[in-house]
Amino acid sequence: MSNSAGSESMLREVDILIKGGTALTLSPERDTIEDCCIAVKDDRITFIGDARNGKDPFQAREIIHAQDCVIMPGLINAHTHAAMVCFRGLADDLPLMDWLNNYIFPAESLNVDEELVYYGTLLACVEMIKSGTTTFCDGYFFENQAVRAVKEVGMRAVLAQGIVDLPTPDVKDPEMNLQIAEEFLLSNADHSTISPALFCHAAYTCSSKTLKQVKELTLNHGVPYLIHLSESKGEVEQIKNEYGMTPVFYLKDIGVLDRNLIADHCVCLTDDEMDILKECGVKVVHNPESNMKMASGIAPIPELMSRGIPVGLGTDGCASNNDLDMFQEMDTAAKLHKVMHADPTVMNAKEVVEMATVGSAGVLGLDNTVGRLEIGKKADIIIIDMNKPHLTPLYNIYSHLVYAVSGADVITTIINGKLIMKDRKVLAIDEESVKREVNRIAGKIKKSLN
């Protein structure tokens, strides 16, 4: 009896133990581990290695058997507007400026309120969790309601208060932008899974004064500065007409470009502009499906990456995509640049998977926290069921993840050491109730536009 008690005392107590399957760690030391064992204690990975053939040194509260599965870091959606799921499919097949000025901006001014942002963000979180995303970067109005939703569902997020020099649903007087922005940063400065940030919509919706004031605010608080940059030819021409230079040169001229700037889209860039982004340490987020759908163009991602510019991957919002499936985004990113360059070797599958994980983590300043499966990293893990007809046979994991897997193949999601989805059921909230609320809000949106 004493021997039994002694052997039990040798067991390491953990919260979650994942056994079997293939771990894709994305770690330079050991990329894949067959028949793996991953232990999670509190919010971190405490062990990753080969399974012990039934002789586990662990005692776990939750054991997940992952035979025939791939276990990998959760995907990181580096740019979206989560609450805009409420406008999914509202105004499709339109040019960017027509879409914004004649449809989206009016719909937002009439309908965006705290309720829409809360339920819209909840639904977006459900969609992302069920398609393998564990972290996302968001910029929108009433962002404290996004904070509320993210806390409730248990995701990791960089959440940015949106700023434009126009009356908005949450800031009726643009003169209050800076005060409200700082209050948002101060009220969300200390949370384990939420990082606050600020989001200036674009150079054509924010004055140089606002752009510079927000820059100072982000530097004072040490938070990221998000902006849509050179998203379309129309934007470039508008800024050239107003300021006599392109958006990149303009932002450099007023002192906005630096290492804490995250530039979304970056479709219309010259070689000189790419060199400036490199020189200033700017980070870029690629949104291929949104850019394709709006016919904005194709961002020069291979050229940016060849310069060593950090690049992450994002979906943009559901009003311009129309989904938040990062597996689909990876597939599009890989294929788009191959056909653009007439070169099948461009943007290979491994590069694209890294862009959606460690790449996005680096862009968001979270690379010391998430993006790889390594001891000490936060336990943000997804498990993909590979025992499917469309995933059989398996020769190359990276290839399957980019060209064959869909978000619907994700069966388990762990975020910050907590089991968030099990057997494709999101545990913290009632998914059906959230869908009902968003459908109710959609009815109000239709009525307002009619």
Side-chain angles (χ1 to χ4, degrees), residues 158-220:
V158 175
L159 301 177
Q161 173 65 30
I163 297 167
V164 297
D165 280 329
L166 299 164
T168 63
D170 60 340
V171 185
K172 302 301 183 184
D173 179 3
E175 292 296 323
M176 298 294 293
N177 269 326
L178 272 293
Q179 178 183 327
I180 290 172
E182 185 157 34
E183 288 171 357
F184 175 79
L185 296 180
L186 291 171
S187 64
N188 295 290
D190 187 22
H191 191 273
S192 60
T193 61
I194 294 173
S195 304
L198 297 180
F199 167 54
C200 280
H201 175 264
Y204 58 88
T205 52
C206 294
S207 67
S208 59
K209 177 184 176 182
T210 297
L211 293 167
K212 289 188 284 187
Q213 287 177 329
V214 172
K215 169 54 64 179
E216 183 178 358
L217 199 54
T218 59
L219 291 175
N220 289 342

Side-chain angles (χ1 to χ4, degrees), residues 99-149:
W99 175 80
L100 270 176
N101 294 321
N102 298 319
Y103 295 89
I104 296 303
F105 285 164
E108 288 179 326
S109 67
L110 291 169
N111 295 284
V112 172
D113 56 16
E114 291 187 342
E115 180 184 61
L116 181 146
V117 174
Y118 170 65
Y119 283 112
T121 305
L122 270 184
L123 183 64
C125 287
V126 171
E127 183 177 351
M128 286 188 278
I129 289 166
K130 297 188 79 168
S131 55
T133 292
T134 54
T135 300
F136 70 101
C137 181
D138 185 64
Y140 206 55
F141 311 115
F142 292 112
E143 199 65 5
N144 275 317
Q145 291 301 311
V147 171
R148 176 188 169 201

Side-chain angles (χ1 to χ4, degrees), residues 31-107:
D31 197 30
T32 59
I33 302 172
E34 301 286 344
D35 192 20
C36 74
C37 175
I38 301 173
V40 174
K41 175 69 173 176
D42 297 325
D43 60 352
R44 298 186 183 271
I45 297 170
T46 58
F47 176 84
I48 180 166
D50 298 319
R52 300 304 193 206
N53 299 318
K55 300 178 181 179
D56 285 315
F58 300 106
Q59 181 172 309
R61 174 176 52 81
E62 179 92 31
I63 297 176
I64 300 172
H65 296 282
Q67 286 80 8
D68 300 319
C69 294
V70 165
I71 306 101
M72 66 176 289
L75 303 180
I76 301 172
N77 187 343
H79 175 60
T80 191
H81 311 289
M84 292 187 81
V85 296
C86 294
F87 301 115
R88 191 194 322 256
L90 178 68
D92 286 338
D93 306 323
L94 295 167
L96 175 62
M97 292 304 180
D98 184 18
W99 175 80
L100 270 176
N101 294 321
N102 298 319
Y103 295 89
I104 296 303
F105 285 164

Side-chain angles (χ1 to χ4, degrees), residues 92-399:
D92 286 338
D93 306 323
L94 295 167
L96 175 62
M97 292 304 180
D98 184 18
W99 175 80
L100 270 176
N101 294 321
N102 298 319
Y103 295 89
I104 296 303
F105 285 164
E108 288 179 326
S109 67
L110 291 169
N111 295 284
V112 172
D113 56 16
E114 291 187 342
E115 180 184 61
L116 181 146
V117 174
Y118 170 65
Y119 283 112
T121 305
L122 270 184
L123 183 64
C125 287
V126 171
E127 183 177 351
M128 286 188 278
I129 289 166
K130 297 188 79 168
S131 55
T133 292
T134 54
T135 300
F136 70 101
C137 181
D138 185 64
Y140 206 55
F141 311 115
F142 292 112
E143 199 65 5
N144 275 317
Q145 291 301 311
V147 171
R148 176 188 169 201
V150 169
K151 286 181 178 180
E152 186 171 328
V153 78
M155 286 193 77
R156 190 181 306 281
V158 175
L159 301 177
Q161 173 65 30
I163 297 167
V164 297
D165 280 329
L166 299 164
T168 63
D170 60 340
V171 185
K172 302 301 183 184
D173 179 3
E175 292 296 323
M176 298 294 293
N177 269 326
L178 272 293
Q179 178 183 327
I180 290 172
E182 185 157 34
E183 288 171 357
F184 175 79
L185 296 180
L186 291 171
S187 64
N188 295 290
D190 187 22
H191 191 273
S192 60
T193 61
I194 294 173
S195 304
L198 297 180
F199 167 54
C200 280
H201 175 264
Y204 58 88
T205 52
C206 294
S207 67
S208 59
K209 177 184 176 182
T210 297
L211 293 167
K212 289 188 284 187
Q213 287 177 329
V214 172
K215 169 54 64 179
E216 183 178 358
L217 199 54
T218 59
L219 291 175
N220 289 342
H221 288 269
V223 301
Y225 185 134
L226 283 54
I227 192 168
H228 293 138
L229 179 60
S230 297
E231 185 176 355
S232 68
K233 291 179 181 178
E235 174 191 339
V236 173
E237 290 305 312
Q238 183 175 342
I239 298 301
K240 284 172 68 175
N241 289 337
E242 290 184 21
Y243 302 104
M245 60 188 90
T246 65
V248 171
F249 279 95
Y250 168 59
L251 293 186
K252 183 176 188 296
D253 186 62
I254 64 174
V256 169
L257 299 186
D258 65 9
R259 294 184 181 278
N260 86 318
L261 188 79
I262 300 174
D264 300 315
H265 299 292
C266 292
V267 171
C268 303
L269 298 176
T270 65
D271 286 340
D272 288 343
E273 289 173 322
M274 287 187 271
D275 291 339
I276 288 172
L277 296 182
K278 169 63 176 176
E279 172 192 330
C280 295
V282 173
K283 304 172 184 68
V284 171
V285 181
H286 186 30
N287 306 271
E289 291 190 359
S290 176
N291 295 153
M292 290 171 65
K293 183 165 175 277
M294 308 304 293
S296 298
I298 302 172
I301 299 303
E303 292 81 0
L304 290 167
M305 293 174 68
S306 71
R307 286 169 166 80
I309 295 171
V311 178
L313 189 66
T315 60
D316 208 349
C318 276
S320 65
N321 186 312
N322 299 31
D323 64 72
L324 301 172
D325 188 339
M326 283 287 287
F327 283 102
Q328 185 172 311
E329 204 74 31
M330 285 195 291
D331 179 84
T332 300
K335 292 174 180 174
L336 176 64
H337 295 283
K338 295 180 193 306
V339 72
M340 175 66 179
H341 291 79
D343 181 354
T345 69
V346 171
M347 295 284 282
N348 65 63
K350 187 173 188 291
E351 288 179 322
V352 175
V353 172
E354 289 174 343
M355 184 185 295
T357 50
V358 293
S360 286
V363 165
L364 300 182
L366 299 174
D367 44 321
N368 291 326
T369 303
V370 294
R372 304 183 196 272
L373 299 185
E374 294 175 333
I375 293 174
K377 283 281 200 297
K378 296 285 188 178
D380 288 11
I381 303 167
I382 61 173
I383 300 176
I384 304 161
D385 181 5
M386 304 299 284
N387 189 21
K388 301 281 188 72
H390 65 283
L391 300 177
T392 304
L394 173 60
Y395 297 112
N396 182 297
I397 290 177
Y398 289 107
S399 175

